[in-house]
Amino acid sequence: MVSGLLLTGAVLAPAGATAAPETFWPLYQNPYVPVQLRVHDLMSRMSLDDKIGQMVQAERQAVTPQQAADLRLGSILSGGGSVPTPNTPAAWADMYDAYQKAAVSTPLGIPTLYGVDAVHGHNNVYGATIFPHNVGLGAAHDPKLVEKIGKVTASEVRSTGPTWDFAPCLCVSRDDRWGRAYESFGETPQDAIDNATIINGLQGRSLKAKGSVLATAKHYVGDGGTTGGDDQGNTEISEAELRKIHLPPFQEAIKRGAGSVMISFSSWNGKKAHGHRYLITDVLKKELRFSGLVVSDWNGVHQLNGNNDDLTADEVRESVNAGIDLFMEPYDAPKFISLLRAEVDAGRVSQARLDDANRRILTKKFESGLFEKPYADRSLQKDFGGAEHRAVAREAVRKSQVLLKNEGALPLKKGSKVFVAGKNADDIGNQSGGWTITWQGSSGPITTGTTILQGIQQVGGPRTKVTYDREGDGVDGSYDVAVAVVGETPYAEGEGDRPNGLKLDAEDLSTIAKLKATGVPVVVVTVSGRPLDITSELGGWNALLAAWLPGTEGAGVADVLFGDHRPSGKLTFSWAESFDQLPINVGDGKKALFPYGYGLTYPKT
Ligand code: BGC
Ligand code: BGC
């Protein structure tokens, strides 16, 4: 067994190793020793407080690097929109390095694991390449491309420091009313399974390879199945149904080696996932043999007693004993630590449970190469938001467009006279959606990129005469075609729930009406995180293209509008005929306006 081995760092340093043998002491600092032994050696040197600290994650705004080190915190996160000033890759790397420097200066020198939500590119950082949200990637049906997106995202993340990404969301969204529907690849488990390739892209050949980050399959389990599409709500289905619809993407993620799993805020038949020992320990860890680390969601354990207020000892005990390893406690890390310490001292949480958690967390730290290379890999910054990365995003945009109706108005002709209107035509914030620069996202020129209007101008080229007015004013019968880019404005979890309807707003309807009044053919492009309720308008439109939330590369939409790329996307969500039909999912016998799998193209020329 491990403890019987007489290994020393010096003995195991192979010939040609550059560092002096002394630097490989103690054993766990020796990169040539197998990870399991390093973990074992390190844990044998850790105090109870070291182990408890290792299990806790705080928000960067709540703790300075020194405070994090003093608390022996295992992890730090930047929540949505939690960024340094200025919000540049260099400032991120400085910030990250400061936490890392403090962590490696503690007596045991355990590096920190820094996590971010890079859910469609490294979306918190100004100037990052922003990819389509998962709803669009699902429609593209190109798992290899999604893997490439993971690779690009990981490289941009790692260039700024963090080595952990809270992505992908493998949620199977069963109800369009849910504000996180766009984080889902589709309404069937197969959509998430197919695109779990993003995990391989994020994690690379190995976690310690250049430009790799630890991926997170989230949110375990049943987040997309809540009644009414209520965010953080209750998933009221049988175990057979849970296993059939919501579990398979996690099995796939484990097969692909996903290093972490995040627990869902939601409940399963009235019991919160964050306290669900059966789901976390029995199913995830034992039955599915998940060997990575389980992380809680933002203050998730605070909800266990039925309210979201103060953290209590019962909540700490219940969630630790349920099997969560690392606790996202943005603002309450010190309190979590003292409550957990008291529970351990009272014998209500076992040493074995703490050891299981520490083993899982430390294993990922060693595998990520953090002990050898704790600091940001700034050499990757030269590609950050660069042309090569943006080309991958544009390809994804192109392939994610779904053509739903076309009476010949598309493709647009280069050299024609095109009028463009609509609140989402020239707005990088709107086309990027939530989780962009800020948590909920926002309208306006929030980051760099190409708007859909700019894309139309570029792809149309100098021969095409493009006129733009947001409200559609100034349009007349002299145009060959009018394009209205309409739909949703940014939102994320909670704020995006739509229990009352999914219709176009008054501004969109009035813009479209002005275009229609001229008698020229009207093309509608919807920018949205989900199917909208458009049945009553559709008859008056000559073409309809679903652009989803394309991100910063709006030229990809124009590539399809002009036919440089023939539309190839297919729906991974049943497009409801009416709002009262929700939830609607393939196989449920309801008749959709556009069924799952639908998508037109242009005739070959
Ligand atoms: C979300 C997670 C996210 C976390 C950290 C939570 O509110 O549900 O998906 O990873 O915040 O930002
Ligand atoms: C943070 C998000 C987090 C959310 C949870 C926000 O303030 O920025 O990252 O998911 O709070 O409520």
Side-chain angles (χ1 to χ4, degrees):
M1 263 307 305
V2 166
S3 48
L5 287 174
L6 279 175
L7 296 178
T8 71
V11 171
L12 280 188
T18 44
E22 292 74 34
T23 62
F24 289 157
W25 189 256
L27 184 67
Y28 70 87
Q29 291 289 8
N30 188 331
Y32 303 98
V33 167
V35 164
Q36 245 186 311
L37 291 188
R38 299 178 76 184
V39 171
H40 180 87
D41 180 67
L42 173 54
M43 281 175 58
S44 73
R45 300 167 195 271
M46 290 168 77
S47 67
L48 178 56
D49 290 330
D50 288 329
K51 289 181 182 173
I52 289 174
Q54 210 40 231
M55 293 169 65
V56 186
Q57 177 186 67
E59 219 290 332
R60 59 169 278 279
Q61 287 170 299
V63 289
T64 63
Q66 195 50 50
Q67 287 166 337
D70 291 344
L71 289 163
R72 302 290 187 267
L73 295 186
S75 182
I76 299 289
L77 92 149
S78 271
S82 179
V83 302
T85 312
N87 185 10
T88 59
W92 272 81
D94 291 344
M95 165 181 82
Y96 172 84
D97 283 356
Y99 282 100
Q100 209 53 282
K101 184 158 187 245
V104 302
S105 307
T106 54
L108 289 171
I110 306 174
T112 193
L113 194 53
Y114 198 117
V116 290
D117 292 281
V119 300
H120 61 150
H122 194 3
N123 44 62
N124 284 308
V125 189
Y126 184 86
T129 307
I130 304 296
F131 295 90
H133 271 297
N134 291 349
V135 58
L137 298 184
H141 290 91
D142 191 343
K144 277 273 161 231
L145 177 61
V146 168
E147 180 171 346
K148 213 193 256 179
I149 289 171
K151 196 169 149 64
V152 171
T153 300
S155 156
E156 295 204 1
V157 169
R158 197 82 194 230
S159 81
T160 66
T163 65
W164 188 11
D165 187 3
F166 306 131
C169 189
L170 296 180
C171 46
V172 182
S173 175
R174 304 290 285 173
D175 196 318
D176 300 346
R177 290 171 285 189
W178 189 33
R180 303 190 83 157
Y182 67 74
E183 295 189 58
S184 171
F185 290 109
E187 72 190 25
T188 77
Q190 196 60 44
D191 297 310
I193 291 170
D194 290 346
N195 292 294
T197 50
I198 196 163
I199 293 166
N200 302 84
L202 290 167
Q203 296 196 160
R205 269 181 297 110
S206 87
L207 288 176
K208 65 166 176 283
K210 191 177 175 73
S212 295
V213 296
L214 182 68
T216 309
K218 73 185 188 185
H219 307 84
Y220 184 82
V221 56
D223 52 351
T226 63
T227 301
D230 183 20
D231 191 46
Q232 311 194 359
N234 190 13
T235 298
E236 297 168 281
I237 54 177
S238 68
E239 178 159 356
E241 188 81 353
L242 188 78
R243 285 177 178 272
K244 192 172 120 202
I245 305 285
H246 300 282
L247 196 63
F250 290 92
Q251 290 171 291
E252 181 68 19
I254 293 167
K255 230 189 277 168
R256 291 181 177 277
S260 70
V261 167
M262 187 185 291
I263 300 303
S264 179
F265 281 127
S266 56
S267 304
W268 177 38
N269 295 328
K271 187 167 169 54
K272 284 273 175 201
H274 276 81
H276 219 301
R277 199 189 152 99
Y278 172 70
L279 288 177
I280 301 173
T281 297
D282 298 343
V283 177
L284 180 64
K285 288 185 170 177
K286 293 192 177 145
E287 183 186 323
L288 305 186
R289 297 168 181 241
F290 174 63
S291 63
L293 72 90
V294 176
V295 62
S296 60
D297 203 344
W298 184 279
N299 279 155
V301 312
H302 299 218
Q303 298 188 18
L304 286 180
N305 64 356
N307 64 50
N308 203 357
D309 308 340
D310 276 0
L311 180 65
T312 65
D314 289 352
E315 291 171 328
V316 170
R317 181 181 63 252
E318 192 186 341
S319 53
V320 175
N321 287 340
I324 297 175
D325 303 309
L326 182 49
F327 291 82
M328 189 185 289
E329 283 298 324
Y331 307 114
D332 286 310
K335 184 167 184 195
F336 188 94
I337 287 171
S338 60
L339 289 172
L340 179 52
R341 171 84 209 211
E343 290 303 299
V344 175
D345 288 343
R348 291 188 289 261
V349 170
S350 70
Q351 279 287 345
R353 182 68 268 280
L354 300 192
D355 286 347
D356 174 53
N358 273 267
R359 207 173 290 119
R360 289 164 182 270
I361 295 163
L362 295 169
T363 296
K364 292 305 160 195
K365 290 188 176 183
F366 282 115
E367 287 176 357
S368 298
L370 280 168
F371 285 77
E372 290 70 57
K373 289 189 179 162
Y375 298 113
D377 186 351
R378 296 175 198 239
S379 72
L380 294 166
Q381 283 178 15
K382 64 180 191 325
D383 298 321
F384 184 93
E388 224 175 286
H389 289 183
R390 288 178 189 273
V392 176
R394 180 169 173 176
E395 181 184 355
V397 175
R398 222 184 266 151
K399 290 181 168 169
S400 64
Q401 304 301 297
V402 182
L403 182 64
L404 294 170
K405 174 175 180 177
N406 188 16
E407 290 174 344
L410 289 176
L412 304 179
K413 289 178 197 56
K414 293 183 186 172
S416 64
K417 207 176 157 195
V418 182
F419 194 94
V420 179
K423 68 171 188 276
N424 292 340
D426 193 27
D427 193 310
I428 205 93
N430 286 358
Q431 73 189 44
S432 296
W435 295 106
T436 312
I437 307 299
T438 55
W439 177 38
Q440 294 287 331
S442 63
S443 299
I446 59 171
T447 190
T448 55
T450 305
T451 66
I452 295 171
L453 171 67
Q454 290 165 340
I456 290 172
Q457 289 162 335
Q458 265 174 35
V459 175
R463 289 191 302 124
T464 307
K465 187 168 182 306
V466 180
T467 307
Y468 166 71
D469 182 79
R470 175 176 164 140
E471 270 90 44
D473 291 332
V475 67
D476 59 37
S478 71
Y479 290 90
D480 294 306
V481 64
V483 180
V485 187
V486 297
E488 295 188 313
T489 52
Y491 55 79
E493 38 176 336
E495 315 268 319
D497 287 3
R498 293 286 178 269
N500 302 316
L502 280 164
K503 285 197 178 295
L504 293 180
D505 65 17
E507 178 182 349
D508 287 348
L509 293 174
S510 122
T511 306
I512 295 172
K514 287 180 205 164
L515 305 186
K516 264 175 57 182
T518 62
V520 308
V522 173
V523 173
V524 172
V525 176
T526 51
V527 168
S528 71
R530 49 191 151 189
L532 299 174
D533 182 2
I534 46 137
T535 307
S536 54
E537 320 324 311
L538 184 64
W541 304 345
N542 301 88
L544 169 61
L545 183 74
W548 313 114
L549 298 169
T552 52
E553 303 318 304
V557 178
D559 290 335
V560 171
L561 288 174
F562 282 99
D564 288 2
H565 177 85
R566 294 170 68 234
S568 54
K570 308 275 181 238
L571 292 180
T572 57
F573 287 94
S574 306
W575 194 295
E577 176 144 52
S578 73
F579 189 73
D580 328 321
Q581 263 183 332
L582 298 177
I584 179 170
N585 291 294
V586 59
D588 65 8
K590 297 184 189 173
K591 196 179 162 295
L593 176 62
F594 302 115
Y596 181 92
Y598 192 79
L600 305 170
T601 190
Y602 303 145
K604 283 213 175 83
T605 47

